[in-house]
Amino acid sequence: LTSPRSETASACIFCVAAESPDHRQTLTLQRNERVLVMLNRYPYTNGHVMIAPVAHEARLFDSSPASLSDIMRVTAETQRILSDVYQPDGFNIGMNFGSAAGAGVADHYHVHVVPRWSGDSNFMSVTSRTRIVPEELDVTYDKLLPYFQQKRALDSR
Ligand SMILES: [Zn+2]
């Protein structure tokens, strides 16, 4: 009686985060009905955040208009929070679809938000495996969580 959804969920970090009550363990900063925000466990830079639909969806056109709207709104809020907290010189914000395009998780799409600093690396790109001396994930989580909790309060107004 196992549903296809729970089979995929067991292998998918985004579905695990969507279903887990333990936000810290899954590095989840915010979760609502349609969207979740989590830290990348293998960050390219400090503050590397991912935004994904709660539903296990592979492509943008699998998502409902409400989910697409939430994804973009939360991505914008995340960029604002990371700007305030880390004051980076720039951002890479992007998505990879399918392993051929560099997606680490190919069947549950997600937006990468990667703060960048001038000179952080001449050769790094979001799709490379190069990583830049990130701070401890627990430190990042504790730093960002209050901002996302505050944002949630704002969302519910
Ligand atoms: Zn999934």
Side-chain angles (χ1 to χ4, degrees):
L1 295 177
T2 307
S3 72
R5 154 110 187 157
S6 61
E7 281 172 14
T8 52
S10 65
C12 172
I13 60 165
F14 299 103
C15 287
V16 168
E19 292 166 12
S20 171
D22 189 340
H23 286 201
R24 177 175 289 273
Q25 195 205 2
T26 58
L27 299 173
T28 302
L29 290 161
Q30 188 184 16
R31 185 175 67 202
N32 68 20
E33 188 184 334
R34 290 185 287 263
V35 177
L36 65 92
V37 181
M38 61 193 287
L39 293 180
N40 191 326
R41 196 168 289 281
Y42 306 100
Y44 295 117
T45 66
N46 294 336
H48 181 170
V49 168
M50 300 183 294
I51 297 114
V54 165
H56 188 79
E57 295 166 334
R59 302 161 300 185
L60 288 173
F61 56 91
D62 295 328
S63 275
S64 67
S67 287
L68 292 171
S69 173
D70 274 11
I71 292 273
M72 187 49 73
R73 183 175 51 78
V74 171
T75 299
E77 287 293 334
T78 298
Q79 185 182 26
R80 183 180 63 76
I81 290 169
L82 293 174
S83 293
D84 288 349
V85 174
Y86 287 100
Q87 301 183 330
D89 300 320
F91 282 93
N92 290 115
I93 298 180
M95 312 173 77
N96 303 317
F97 295 90
S99 53
V105 178
D107 53 357
H108 192 144
Y109 79 81
H110 47 284
V111 180
H112 291 273
V113 181
V114 184
R116 299 296 306 273
W117 286 265
S118 300
D120 59 12
S121 168
N122 291 329
F123 304 104
M124 201 204 77
S125 74
V126 170
T127 54
S128 80
R129 290 291 171 189
T130 309
R131 297 190 178 105
I132 299 160
V133 219
E135 67 191 355
E136 293 296 320
L137 286 172
D138 278 346
V139 173
T140 306
Y141 188 84
D142 287 335
K143 199 181 277 186
L144 293 178
L145 186 61
Y147 289 85
F148 281 91
Q149 288 174 332
Q150 189 178 10
K151 180 168 95 64
R152 177 178 302 171
L154 293 172
D155 281 348
S156 64
R157 279 196 306 208

